[in-house]
Coordinates of all heavy atoms in Angstrom, one line a residue:
M332 N 4.3 23.0 -24.9 CA 4.7 22.9 -23.5 C 4.1 21.6 -23.0 O 2.9 21.3 -23.2 CB 4.2 24.0 -22.7 CG 4.5 23.9 -21.2 SD 4.3 25.5 -20.4 CE 2.8 25.1 -19.5
K333 N 4.9 20.7 -22.4 CA 4.4 19.5 -21.8 C 4.4 19.6 -20.3 O 5.3 20.0 -19.7 CB 5.4 18.3 -22.2 CG 4.9 17.0 -21.8 CD 5.9 15.9 -22.2 CE 5.5 14.6 -21.6 NZ 6.4 13.6 -21.9
I334 N 3.2 19.2 -19.8 CA 3.0 19.1 -18.3 C 2.9 17.7 -17.9 O 2.0 17.0 -18.4 CB 1.8 19.9 -17.9 CG1 1.9 21.4 -18.4 CG2 1.5 19.8 -16.4 CD1 0.7 22.2 -18.1
D335 N 3.8 17.3 -17.0 CA 3.7 15.9 -16.5 C 2.7 15.8 -15.5 O 2.5 16.7 -14.7 CB 5.1 15.5 -15.9 CG 6.2 15.4 -17.0 OD1 5.9 15.1 -18.1 OD2 7.3 15.8 -16.6
P336 N 2.0 14.6 -15.4 CA 0.9 14.5 -14.4 C 1.5 14.3 -13.0 O 2.6 13.8 -12.8 CB 0.2 13.2 -14.8 CG 1.3 12.4 -15.6 CD 2.1 13.5 -16.3
I337 N 0.8 14.8 -12.0 CA 1.3 14.8 -10.7 C 1.1 13.3 -10.2 O 2.0 12.8 -9.5 CB 0.4 15.7 -9.8 CG1 0.7 17.1 -10.2 CG2 0.8 15.5 -8.3 CD1 -0.2 18.1 -9.4
V338 N 0.0 12.7 -10.5 CA -0.2 11.3 -10.1 C 0.4 10.4 -11.2 O 0.1 10.6 -12.4 CB -1.7 11.0 -10.0 CG1 -1.9 9.6 -9.6 CG2 -2.3 12.0 -8.9
P339 N 1.2 9.4 -10.9 CA 1.8 8.6 -11.9 C 0.7 7.8 -12.6 O -0.3 7.4 -12.1 CB 2.7 7.6 -11.1 CG 2.5 7.9 -9.7 CD 1.6 9.1 -9.5
T340 N 0.9 7.7 -13.9 CA 0.0 7.0 -14.7 C 0.1 5.5 -14.5 O 1.1 5.0 -14.0 CB 0.2 7.2 -16.2 OG1 1.6 6.8 -16.5 CG2 0.0 8.7 -16.6
Q341 N -1.0 4.8 -14.7 CA -1.1 3.3 -14.4 C -0.3 2.6 -15.5 O -0.2 3.0 -16.6 CB -2.5 2.8 -14.4 CG -3.3 3.4 -13.3 CD -4.7 2.7 -13.2 OE1 -5.0 2.0 -14.1 NE2 -5.5 3.1 -12.2
T342 N 0.3 1.5 -15.0 CA 1.1 0.7 -15.9 C 0.1 -0.2 -16.8 O -1.0 -0.4 -16.4 CB 2.0 -0.3 -15.2 OG1 1.2 -1.1 -14.3 CG2 3.0 0.4 -14.3
T343 N 0.6 -0.5 -18.0 CA -0.3 -1.3 -18.9 C -0.2 -2.8 -18.6 O -1.0 -3.6 -19.1 CB 0.1 -1.0 -20.3 OG1 1.5 -1.3 -20.5 CG2 -0.1 0.4 -20.7
D344 N 0.9 -3.2 -17.9 CA 1.1 -4.6 -17.6 C 0.2 -5.0 -16.4 O 0.5 -4.6 -15.2 CB 2.5 -4.9 -17.3 CG 2.8 -6.4 -17.2 OD1 1.9 -7.2 -17.5 OD2 4.0 -6.7 -16.8
P345 N -0.9 -5.8 -16.5 CA -1.7 -6.1 -15.4 C -1.0 -7.0 -14.3 O -1.4 -6.9 -13.2 CB -2.9 -6.9 -16.0 CG -2.4 -7.3 -17.3 CD -1.3 -6.4 -17.8
K346 N 0.0 -7.7 -14.7 CA 0.7 -8.6 -13.8 C 1.5 -7.7 -12.8 O 1.5 -8.0 -11.6 CB 1.7 -9.5 -14.5 CG 2.4 -10.5 -13.7 CD 3.2 -11.4 -14.6 CE 3.8 -12.5 -13.8 NZ 4.7 -13.4 -14.6
V347 N 2.1 -6.6 -13.2 CA 2.8 -5.7 -12.4 C 1.8 -5.0 -11.4 O 2.1 -4.9 -10.2 CB 3.6 -4.7 -13.2 CG1 4.2 -3.6 -12.3 CG2 4.7 -5.4 -14.0
T348 N 0.7 -4.7 -11.9 CA -0.3 -4.0 -11.1 C -0.8 -4.9 -10.0 O -1.0 -4.5 -8.8 CB -1.5 -3.5 -12.0 OG1 -1.0 -2.7 -13.0 CG2 -2.5 -2.8 -11.1
V349 N -1.1 -6.2 -10.3 CA -1.6 -7.2 -9.4 C -0.6 -7.4 -8.3 O -0.9 -7.4 -7.1 CB -2.0 -8.5 -10.0 CG1 -2.3 -9.6 -9.0 CG2 -3.2 -8.3 -10.9
E350 N 0.7 -7.5 -8.7 CA 1.8 -7.8 -7.7 C 1.9 -6.6 -6.8 O 2.1 -6.8 -5.5 CB 3.1 -8.1 -8.4 CG 3.1 -9.4 -9.1 CD 4.3 -9.5 -10.0 OE1 5.2 -8.6 -10.0 OE2 4.4 -10.6 -10.7
S351 N 1.9 -5.4 -7.3 CA 2.1 -4.2 -6.5 C 0.9 -4.0 -5.5 O 1.1 -3.6 -4.4 CB 2.4 -3.0 -7.3 OG 1.2 -2.7 -8.1
K352 N -0.3 -4.3 -6.0 CA -1.5 -4.1 -5.2 C -1.5 -5.1 -4.0 O -1.9 -4.8 -2.9 CB -2.8 -4.3 -6.0 CG -3.0 -3.2 -7.0 CD -3.4 -1.9 -6.3 CE -3.7 -0.8 -7.4 NZ -4.0 0.4 -6.8
L353 N -1.0 -6.4 -4.4 CA -1.0 -7.4 -3.3 C 0.1 -7.0 -2.3 O -0.2 -7.2 -1.1 CB -0.6 -8.7 -3.9 CG -0.6 -9.9 -3.0 CD1 -1.9 -10.1 -2.3 CD2 -0.1 -11.2 -3.7
E354 N 1.2 -6.5 -2.7 CA 2.3 -6.1 -1.8 C 1.7 -5.0 -0.9 O 2.0 -4.9 0.3 CB 3.5 -5.7 -2.5 CG 4.3 -6.9 -3.1 CD 5.5 -6.4 -3.8 OE1 5.7 -5.2 -4.0 OE2 6.3 -7.3 -4.2
Q355 N 1.0 -4.0 -1.5 CA 0.5 -2.9 -0.8 C -0.5 -3.4 0.2 O -0.5 -2.9 1.4 CB -0.1 -1.9 -1.7 CG -0.7 -0.7 -1.0 CD -1.3 0.4 -2.0 OE1 -1.0 0.3 -3.2 NE2 -2.0 1.3 -1.4
A356 N -1.4 -4.3 -0.1 CA -2.4 -4.8 0.8 C -1.8 -5.5 2.0 O -2.2 -5.4 3.1 CB -3.4 -5.7 0.1
F357 N -0.7 -6.3 1.7 CA 0.0 -7.0 2.7 C 0.6 -6.1 3.7 O 0.5 -6.2 4.9 CB 1.0 -8.0 2.1 CG 1.9 -8.6 3.1 CD1 1.4 -9.7 3.9 CD2 3.2 -8.1 3.3 CE1 2.3 -10.3 4.8 CE2 4.0 -8.7 4.3 CZ 3.5 -9.8 5.0
L358 N 1.3 -5.1 3.2 CA 2.0 -4.1 4.0 C 0.9 -3.3 4.8 O 1.2 -2.9 6.0 CB 2.9 -3.2 3.2 CG 4.1 -3.8 2.6 CD1 4.8 -2.9 1.6 CD2 5.1 -4.2 3.8
E359 N -0.2 -3.0 4.2 CA -1.2 -2.2 4.9 C -1.7 -3.0 6.1 O -1.9 -2.4 7.2 CB -2.4 -1.9 4.0 CG -3.4 -1.0 4.6 CD -4.5 -0.6 3.6 OE1 -4.3 -0.8 2.4 OE2 -5.5 -0.1 4.1
E360 N -2.0 -4.3 6.0 CA -2.4 -5.1 7.1 C -1.4 -5.2 8.1 O -1.7 -5.2 9.3 CB -2.9 -6.5 6.6 CG -4.1 -6.5 5.8 CD -5.3 -6.0 6.6 OE1 -5.5 -6.4 7.7 OE2 -6.1 -5.2 6.0
M361 N -0.1 -5.3 7.7 CA 1.0 -5.4 8.7 C 1.1 -4.1 9.5 O 1.3 -4.2 10.7 CB 2.3 -5.8 7.9 CG 3.4 -6.1 8.8 SD 4.9 -6.5 8.0 CE 5.4 -4.9 7.3
L362 N 1.0 -3.0 8.8 CA 1.1 -1.7 9.5 C 0.0 -1.4 10.4 O 0.1 -0.6 11.4 CB 1.3 -0.6 8.4 CG 2.6 -0.5 7.7 CD1 2.6 0.5 6.6 CD2 3.7 -0.2 8.7
K363 N -1.2 -2.0 10.2 CA -2.3 -1.8 11.1 C -1.9 -2.3 12.5 O -2.4 -1.7 13.5 CB -3.5 -2.6 10.7 CG -4.3 -1.9 9.5 CD -5.5 -2.8 9.2 CE -6.2 -2.2 8.0 NZ -7.3 -3.1 7.6
Y364 N -1.1 -3.3 12.6 CA -0.8 -3.9 13.9 C 0.6 -3.4 14.5 O 0.7 -3.3 15.7 CB -0.9 -5.4 13.9 CG -2.2 -5.9 13.5 CD1 -2.6 -6.3 12.3 CD2 -3.2 -5.9 14.5 CE1 -3.9 -6.7 12.0 CE2 -4.5 -6.3 14.2 CZ -4.8 -6.7 12.9 OH -6.1 -7.1 12.6
C365 N 1.5 -3.2 13.6 CA 2.8 -2.9 14.1 C 3.4 -1.5 13.6 O 4.5 -1.2 13.9 CB 3.8 -4.0 13.8 SG 4.1 -4.2 12.0
G366 N 2.5 -0.8 13.0 CA 3.0 0.5 12.5 C 2.7 1.7 13.4 O 2.3 1.4 14.6
P367 N 2.9 2.9 13.0 CA 2.6 4.0 13.9 C 1.1 4.1 14.3 O 0.3 3.8 13.5 CB 3.1 5.2 13.1 CG 3.1 4.8 11.7 CD 3.3 3.3 11.7
S368 N 0.9 4.4 15.5 CA -0.5 4.5 16.0 C -0.8 6.0 16.4 O 0.1 6.8 16.6 CB -0.7 3.6 17.1 OG 0.1 3.9 18.2
S369 N -2.1 6.3 16.5 CA -2.5 7.6 16.9 C -2.2 7.9 18.3 O -2.1 7.0 19.1 CB -4.0 7.8 16.6 OG -4.7 6.9 17.3
M370 N -2.1 9.2 18.6 CA -1.8 9.6 20.0 C -3.0 9.4 20.9 O -4.1 9.5 20.4 CB -1.3 11.0 20.1 CG 0.0 11.3 19.5 SD 0.5 13.0 19.5 CE 0.1 13.5 21.1
K371 N -2.8 9.2 22.2 CA -3.9 9.1 23.1 C -3.7 10.3 24.1 O -2.6 10.7 24.4 CB -3.9 7.8 23.9 CG -3.9 6.6 23.0 CD -5.2 6.4 22.3 CE -5.2 5.1 21.5 NZ -5.8 5.3 20.2
G372 N -4.8 10.8 24.6 CA -4.7 11.8 25.6 C -5.3 13.1 25.1 O -6.0 13.2 24.1
E373 N -5.0 14.2 25.8 CA -5.6 15.5 25.5 C -5.0 16.1 24.3 O -5.7 16.9 23.6 CB -5.3 16.5 26.7 CG -6.0 16.1 28.0 CD -5.7 17.1 29.1 OE1 -5.3 18.2 28.8 OE2 -6.0 16.7 30.2
F374 N -3.9 15.7 23.8 CA -3.3 16.3 22.6 C -3.5 15.5 21.4 O -2.9 15.7 20.4 CB -1.8 16.6 22.8 CG -1.5 17.7 23.9 CD1 -1.1 17.3 25.1 CD2 -1.8 19.0 23.6 CE1 -0.8 18.3 26.1 CE2 -1.6 20.0 24.5 CZ -1.1 19.6 25.8
S375 N -4.4 14.5 21.5 CA -4.6 13.7 20.3 C -5.6 14.3 19.4 O -6.2 15.4 19.8 CB -5.2 12.3 20.8 OG -6.5 12.5 21.3
G376 N -5.9 13.8 18.3 CA -6.8 14.3 17.3 C -8.2 13.9 17.6 O -9.2 14.3 16.8
G377 N -8.4 13.1 18.6 CA -9.8 12.6 18.9 C -10.3 11.7 17.9 O -9.6 10.9 17.3
A378 N -11.7 11.7 17.8 CA -12.4 10.8 16.9 C -11.9 10.9 15.4 O -11.9 10.0 14.7 CB -13.9 10.9 17.0
G379 N -11.7 12.2 15.0 CA -11.3 12.4 13.6 C -9.9 11.7 13.3 O -9.8 11.2 12.2
E380 N -9.0 11.8 14.2 CA -7.7 11.1 14.0 C -7.9 9.6 13.9 O -7.3 9.0 13.0 CB -6.8 11.4 15.1 CG -5.4 10.9 14.9 CD -4.4 11.3 16.0 OE1 -4.8 11.9 17.0 OE2 -3.2 10.9 15.8
D381 N -8.7 9.1 14.7 CA -9.0 7.6 14.6 C -9.6 7.2 13.3 O -9.3 6.2 12.7 CB -9.9 7.2 15.8 CG -9.2 7.3 17.1 OD1 -7.9 7.2 17.1 OD2 -9.9 7.4 18.1
Q382 N -10.6 8.1 12.8 CA -11.2 7.7 11.6 C -10.3 7.9 10.3 O -10.4 7.1 9.4 CB -12.5 8.6 11.4 CG -13.5 8.3 12.4 CD -14.7 9.3 12.3 OE1 -14.6 10.3 11.6 NE2 -15.7 9.1 13.1
F383 N -9.4 8.8 10.3 CA -8.6 9.1 9.2 C -7.3 8.4 9.3 O -6.4 8.5 8.4 CB -8.4 10.6 8.9 CG -9.6 11.2 8.4 CD1 -10.4 12.0 9.2 CD2 -9.9 11.1 7.1 CE1 -11.6 12.6 8.7 CE2 -11.1 11.7 6.5 CZ -11.9 12.5 7.4
N384 N -7.0 7.7 10.3 CA -5.8 6.9 10.5 C -5.6 5.8 9.4 O -4.5 5.6 9.0 CB -5.7 6.3 11.9 CG -4.3 5.9 12.3 OD1 -3.3 6.4 11.7 ND2 -4.2 4.9 13.2
S385 N -6.7 5.3 9.0 CA -6.6 4.2 8.0 C -6.1 4.8 6.6 O -5.4 4.1 5.9 CB -8.0 3.6 7.7 OG -8.9 4.5 7.2
F386 N -6.4 6.0 6.3 CA -5.9 6.7 5.1 C -4.4 6.8 5.2 O -3.7 6.6 4.2 CB -6.6 8.0 4.9 CG -8.0 7.9 4.6 CD1 -8.9 8.7 5.3 CD2 -8.5 7.1 3.6 CE1 -10.3 8.7 5.0 CE2 -9.9 7.0 3.3 CZ -10.8 7.8 4.0
L387 N -3.9 7.2 6.3 CA -2.5 7.4 6.5 C -1.8 6.1 6.4 O -0.7 6.0 5.8 CB -2.2 8.1 7.9 CG -0.7 8.4 8.1 CD1 -0.2 9.4 7.1 CD2 -0.6 9.1 9.5
T388 N -2.3 5.0 7.0 CA -1.8 3.7 7.0 C -1.7 3.2 5.5 O -0.7 2.6 5.1 CB -2.6 2.7 7.8 OG1 -2.6 3.2 9.2 CG2 -2.0 1.3 7.8
R389 N -2.7 3.5 4.7 CA -2.8 3.1 3.3 C -1.7 3.8 2.5 O -1.0 3.2 1.7 CB -4.1 3.4 2.7 CG -4.3 2.9 1.3 CD -5.6 3.1 0.7 NE -6.6 2.5 1.6 CZ -7.8 3.0 1.9 NH1 -8.1 4.2 1.5 NH2 -8.6 2.3 2.7
E390 N -1.4 5.1 2.8 CA -0.4 5.8 2.1 C 1.0 5.3 2.5 O 1.9 5.3 1.7 CB -0.5 7.3 2.4 CG -1.8 7.9 1.7 CD -1.8 7.7 0.2 OE1 -0.7 7.9 -0.4 OE2 -2.8 7.3 -0.3
Y391 N 1.2 5.0 3.8 CA 2.5 4.4 4.2 C 2.7 3.1 3.5 O 3.8 2.9 3.0 CB 2.5 4.2 5.8 CG 2.7 5.4 6.6 CD1 2.1 5.4 7.9 CD2 3.5 6.4 6.3 CE1 2.3 6.5 8.7 CE2 3.7 7.5 7.1 CZ 3.1 7.5 8.3 OH 3.3 8.6 9.1
A392 N 1.7 2.3 3.4 CA 1.8 1.0 2.7 C 2.2 1.2 1.2 O 3.0 0.5 0.7 CB 0.6 0.2 2.9
A393 N 1.5 2.2 0.6 CA 1.8 2.4 -0.8 C 3.2 2.9 -1.0 O 3.9 2.5 -1.9 CB 0.8 3.5 -1.3
S394 N 3.7 3.8 -0.1 CA 5.0 4.3 -0.2 C 6.1 3.1 0.0 O 7.0 3.0 -0.7 CB 5.3 5.4 0.9 OG 6.6 5.8 0.9
L395 N 5.8 2.3 1.0 CA 6.7 1.2 1.2 C 6.7 0.2 0.1 O 7.7 -0.4 -0.3 CB 6.3 0.5 2.5 CG 6.7 1.1 3.8 CD1 6.1 0.4 5.0 CD2 8.3 1.2 4.0
A396 N 5.5 -0.1 -0.5 CA 5.4 -1.0 -1.6 C 6.1 -0.5 -2.8 O 6.7 -1.3 -3.6 CB 3.9 -1.3 -1.9
G397 N 6.2 0.8 -3.0 CA 6.9 1.3 -4.1 C 8.4 1.2 -3.9 O 9.2 1.2 -4.9
R398 N 8.9 1.1 -2.7 CA 10.3 1.1 -2.4 C 10.9 -0.3 -2.1 O 12.1 -0.5 -2.2 CB 10.7 2.0 -1.2 CG 10.4 3.5 -1.5 CD 10.7 4.3 -0.4 NE 10.4 5.7 -0.7 CZ 10.2 6.7 0.1 NH1 10.4 6.5 1.4 NH2 10.0 7.9 -0.3
L399 N 10.0 -1.2 -1.7 CA 10.4 -2.5 -1.3 C 10.0 -3.5 -2.3 O 8.9 -3.3 -3.0 CB 9.8 -2.9 0.1 CG 10.2 -2.1 1.3 CD1 9.4 -2.6 2.5 CD2 11.7 -2.3 1.6
D400 N 10.7 -4.6 -2.5 CA 10.3 -5.7 -3.3 C 10.2 -6.9 -2.4 O 11.2 -7.4 -2.0 CB 11.3 -5.9 -4.5 CG 10.8 -7.0 -5.4 OD1 9.6 -7.4 -5.4 OD2 11.7 -7.6 -6.1
L401 N 8.9 -7.3 -2.2 CA 8.7 -8.5 -1.3 C 8.9 -9.8 -2.1 O 8.7 -10.9 -1.5 CB 7.3 -8.4 -0.7 CG 7.1 -7.2 0.2 CD1 5.7 -7.2 0.7 CD2 8.1 -7.1 1.3
N402 N 9.2 -9.7 -3.4 CA 9.5 -10.9 -4.2 C 8.3 -11.9 -4.2 O 8.5 -13.1 -3.9 CB 10.8 -11.6 -3.8 CG 11.3 -12.4 -4.9 OD1 11.0 -12.3 -6.0 ND2 12.2 -13.3 -4.5
L403 N 7.1 -11.4 -4.4 CA 5.9 -12.2 -4.5 C 5.7 -12.8 -5.9 O 4.8 -13.6 -6.1 CB 4.7 -11.4 -4.1 CG 4.6 -10.9 -2.7 CD1 3.4 -10.0 -2.5 CD2 4.7 -12.0 -1.7
N404 N 6.5 -12.4 -6.8 CA 6.4 -12.8 -8.2 C 6.5 -14.4 -8.4 O 5.6 -15.0 -9.0 CB 7.4 -12.1 -9.1 CG 7.2 -12.4 -10.6 OD1 6.1 -12.9 -11.0 ND2 8.1 -12.1 -11.4
P405 N 7.5 -15.0 -7.8 CA 7.5 -16.5 -8.0 C 6.3 -17.2 -7.4 O 5.8 -18.2 -8.1 CB 8.8 -16.9 -7.2 CG 9.6 -15.7 -7.2 CD 8.6 -14.6 -7.1
G406 N 5.8 -16.8 -6.3 CA 4.6 -17.4 -5.7 C 3.4 -17.2 -6.6 O 2.6 -18.1 -6.8
L407 N 3.2 -16.0 -7.1 CA 2.1 -15.7 -7.9 C 2.2 -16.4 -9.3 O 1.1 -16.9 -9.7 CB 2.0 -14.2 -8.2 CG 1.6 -13.3 -7.1 CD1 1.7 -11.8 -7.5 CD2 0.2 -13.7 -6.6
S408 N 3.3 -16.6 -9.8 CA 3.5 -17.3 -11.1 C 3.2 -18.8 -10.9 O 2.5 -19.4 -11.7 CB 4.9 -17.1 -11.6 OG 5.2 -15.8 -11.9
R409 N 3.6 -19.3 -9.8 CA 3.3 -20.7 -9.5 C 1.8 -20.9 -9.3 O 1.2 -21.9 -9.8 CB 4.1 -21.2 -8.2 CG 4.0 -22.6 -8.0 CD 4.8 -23.1 -6.7 NE 4.2 -22.4 -5.5 CZ 5.0 -21.7 -4.7 NH1 6.2 -21.6 -4.8 NH2 4.4 -21.1 -3.6
I410 N 1.1 -20.0 -8.6 CA -0.3 -20.2 -8.4 C -1.0 -20.0 -9.7 O -1.9 -20.8 -10.0 CB -0.8 -19.1 -7.3 CG1 -0.2 -19.5 -6.0 CG2 -2.3 -19.1 -7.3 CD1 -0.5 -18.4 -4.9
A411 N -0.7 -19.0 -10.5 CA -1.4 -18.8 -11.7 C -1.1 -19.9 -12.7 O -2.0 -20.3 -13.5 CB -0.9 -17.5 -12.3
G412 N 0.1 -20.5 -12.7 CA 0.4 -21.6 -13.5 C -0.4 -22.9 -13.1 O -0.8 -23.6 -14.0
G413 N -0.6 -23.0 -11.9 CA -1.4 -24.2 -11.4 C -2.9 -24.1 -11.8 O -3.6 -25.0 -12.1
I414 N -3.4 -22.8 -11.8 CA -4.8 -22.6 -12.1 C -5.0 -22.9 -13.6 O -6.0 -23.5 -14.0 CB -5.3 -21.2 -11.7 CG1 -5.3 -21.1 -10.2 CG2 -6.7 -20.9 -12.3 CD1 -5.5 -19.7 -9.7
G415 N -4.2 -22.3 -14.5 CA -4.3 -22.4 -15.9 C -4.0 -23.8 -16.5 O -4.4 -24.2 -17.6
A416 N -3.2 -24.6 -15.7 CA -2.8 -25.9 -16.3 C -3.8 -27.0 -16.2 O -4.8 -26.9 -15.5 CB -1.5 -26.3 -15.5

């Protein structure tokens, strides 16, 4: 019997990992300012909601990075080529 992992396994190609992590970091920073924010007032989660909001933002960014391609590959290749040359 084969049981598939719940969490996807990491890719072996480090270039793909670097690109996806960069896209995720970019989207996370973008979502901090223009993404969904926590509620204010009596029905908000209070201090706990404010503290854990960063985790939710990180998950939103990871989800978006998995579905979107920001096409950062040409820029990364150009930068990496300039450093090694």
Side-chain angles (χ1 to χ4, degrees):
M332 181 167 104
K333 182 179 176 186
I334 299 175
D335 294 325
I337 295 173
V338 179
T340 57
Q341 294 185 356
T342 60
T343 56
D344 188 9
K346 189 176 183 181
V347 172
T348 304
V349 169
E350 291 171 3
S351 64
K352 294 287 185 182
L353 182 62
E354 287 180 354
Q355 181 178 346
F357 173 76
L358 289 168
E359 186 175 347
E360 290 298 318
M361 187 179 69
L362 286 173
K363 282 181 186 178
Y364 297 102
C365 64
S368 60
S369 57
M370 290 178 46
K371 305 293 184 220
E373 293 182 18
F374 293 106
S375 71
E380 184 177 5
D381 292 336
Q382 291 174 353
F383 287 101
N384 195 25
S385 64
F386 294 129
L387 184 60
T388 302
R389 185 176 302 139
E390 291 302 314
Y391 282 149
S394 178
L395 284 172
R398 295 179 181 166
L399 297 174
D400 182 18
L401 299 178
N402 201 17
L403 297 177
N404 187 16
L407 289 175
S408 297
R409 187 178 62 231
I410 292 170
I414 292 172

